[in-house]
């Protein structure tokens, strides 16, 4: 599967001048809202197919967990959550460094694709792993941004997964700086540059 | 349990779920699980650069309680 993180993070929230409203377009508001509703339906369906696949896995593996389905940033987002001992048991599906979670996310996307026929960019979280990781990474990203602002020089981050890089790109955009990814997985990393001009 | 886990994971991602077969062969240490699928689904189960086969191994091993498990995807066309 190709790298899906691309450069989409910078767009959505930080560059209001590129909002759809400014685009020359011939469709009516009804067309647009119909399209939005259709996309939402499709993403919710993705989430439901994914939840079925995961629920049966939990059942077979004798693990307890509740499954939350959501739509975030144009992607279906599915979280398996539990508390106490059940949460500790669930962490087997996360792994030491999230490698099991990434593997299961790949398989879940394929399961969705085989049912809907469409490529899925669904995000899977288990036992709050990505949520916690995201908070930690945002701190790392914010510190790096401060370093770039203080020194006026670019900073190269450690190699990261696509998910981790996206979190960093998002923080960088919020801080008004510029970032790019360079290199090939698993050595691909984010470079943060001082704001242009 | 591991056979059922792998069976479910594979069935969910193929176009011919009824043709999925998992064979369980005890090894001296641990377990060998052989995955057979419809020839049309072989590429799907292996994935680009073996990425999907690796994902199947990773999830199956995570649920094996530390016992050594090997997961092989068998290319039926090429005999055995």
């Amino acid at each position: 599967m190709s790298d899906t993180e691309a450069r989409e993070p910078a767009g959505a929230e930080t560059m209001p001048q590129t909002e759809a409203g400014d685009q020359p377009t011939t469709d009516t508001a009804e067309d647009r809202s119909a399209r939005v509703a259709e996309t939402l339906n499709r993403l919710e369906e993705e989430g439901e197919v994914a939840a079925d696949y995961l629920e049966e896995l939990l059942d077979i593996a004798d693990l307890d967990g509740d499954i939350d389905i959501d739509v975030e940033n144009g992607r279906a987002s599915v979280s398996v959550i539990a508390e106490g001992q059940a949460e500790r048991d669930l962490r087997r599906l996360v792994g030491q460094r999230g490698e099991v979670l990434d593997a299961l996310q790949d398989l879940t996307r394929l399961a969705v694709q085989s049912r809907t026929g469409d490529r899925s960019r669904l995000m899977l979280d288990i036992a709050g792993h990505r949520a916690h990781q995201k908070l930690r990474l945002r701190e790392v990203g914010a510190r790096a941004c401060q370093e770039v602002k203080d020194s006026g020089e670019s900073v190269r981050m450690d190699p990261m997964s696509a998910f981790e890089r996206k979190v960093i790109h998002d923080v960088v955009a919020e801080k008004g700086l510029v970032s790019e990814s360079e290199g090939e997985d698993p050595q691909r990393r984010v470079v943060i540059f001082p704001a242009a001009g | 349990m591991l056979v059922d886990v792998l069976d479910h994971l594979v069935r969910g991602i193929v176009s011919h779920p009824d043709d999925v077969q998992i064979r369980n062969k005890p090894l001296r240490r641990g377990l060998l699980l052989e995955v057979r699928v419809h020839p049309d689904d072989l590429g799907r189960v292996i994935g680009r650069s073996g990425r999907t086969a690796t994902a199947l191994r990773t999830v199956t091993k995570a649920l094996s309680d530390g016992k050594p498990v090997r997961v092989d995807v068998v290319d039926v066309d090429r005999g055995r």
Side-chain angles (χ1 to χ4, degrees):
Chain A
M1 199 172 287
S2 66
D3 195 355
T4 52
E5 130 254 34
R7 300 276 297 145
E8 81 240 271
E13 280 142 35
T14 54
M15 296 163 70
Q17 71 272 25
T18 62
E19 286 292 312
D22 296 339
Q23 303 295 323
T25 171
T26 53
D27 36 68
T28 64
E30 293 89 79
D31 286 343
R32 276 195 299 275
S33 69
R35 241 190 351 256
V36 168
E38 195 186 301
T39 305
L40 198 61
N41 272 339
R42 188 174 53 76
L43 292 175
E44 278 168 356
E45 191 198 341
E46 274 191 22
E48 276 161 31
V49 173
D52 286 347
Y53 186 64
L54 293 164
E55 205 160 318
E56 196 169 335
L57 175 66
L58 295 182
D59 212 40
I60 296 168
D62 201 18
L63 293 168
D64 283 329
D66 291 326
I67 300 184
D68 276 358
I69 305 174
D70 207 347
V71 172
E72 269 173 40
N73 303 322
R75 300 183 189 208
S77 149
V78 177
S79 309
V80 185
I81 48 175
E83 283 177 9
Q85 186 57 45
E87 183 182 65
R88 285 189 284 279
D89 291 342
L90 265 187
R91 289 198 196 126
R92 294 159 78 189
L93 290 178
V94 174
Q96 290 288 313
R97 298 188 57 243
E99 72 281 359
V100 183
L101 175 58
D102 287 337
L104 193 54
Q105 177 175 278
D106 274 0
L107 295 174
T108 306
R109 286 177 175 180
L110 290 172
V112 169
Q113 189 182 347
S114 83
R115 287 272 286 280
T116 65
D118 292 326
R119 189 88 163 256
S120 167
R121 297 165 64 229
L122 169 143
M123 292 299 295
L124 174 64
D125 197 5
I126 296 179
H129 178 79
R130 285 198 206 283
H132 292 138
Q133 188 192 21
K134 194 170 166 178
L135 281 179
R136 281 198 312 273
L137 268 172
R138 286 186 60 86
E139 285 171 19
V140 170
R143 277 201 299 275
C145 286
Q146 195 55 50
E147 199 182 321
V148 171
K149 283 182 179 171
D150 291 346
S151 69
E153 287 177 23
S154 58
V155 166
R156 296 173 83 223
M157 308 296 288
D158 290 333
M160 292 178 185
S161 70
F163 166 77
E164 294 167 327
R165 293 194 304 270
K166 181 175 181 332
V167 174
I168 300 292
H169 284 306
D170 286 350
V171 174
V172 171
E174 285 165 25
K175 302 282 181 191
L177 300 179
V178 182
S179 58
E180 271 174 21
S181 294
E182 64 167 42
E184 296 295 321
D185 278 323
Q187 289 300 310
R188 199 162 164 79
R189 57 176 81 211
V190 177
V191 185
I192 306 175
F193 301 97
Chain B
M1 184 273 262
L2 276 190
V3 172
D4 298 330
V5 165
L6 188 56
D7 184 77
H8 169 66
L9 291 174
V10 175
R11 262 173 216 272
I13 63 171
V14 296
S15 315
H16 304 277
D18 293 344
D19 294 354
V20 173
Q21 264 184 45
I22 312 291
R23 278 189 213 159
N24 169 354
K25 297 190 173 173
L27 298 178
R28 202 175 322 151
R29 285 185 68 250
L31 196 62
L32 167 65
L33 299 175
E34 283 186 346
V35 180
R36 285 179 170 74
V37 296
H38 191 282
D40 293 351
D41 284 325
L42 197 58
R44 198 110 211 256
V45 168
I46 293 171
R48 198 195 287 174
S49 324
R51 179 172 169 146
T52 308
T54 302
L56 290 167
R57 276 181 203 117
T58 302
V59 177
T60 307
K61 280 180 188 165
L63 294 170
S64 76
D65 287 323
K67 275 179 241 118
V69 188
R70 232 177 83 190
V71 174
D72 284 354
V73 177
V74 179
D75 187 343
V76 184
D77 281 349
R78 280 201 239 130
R80 51 204 63 172

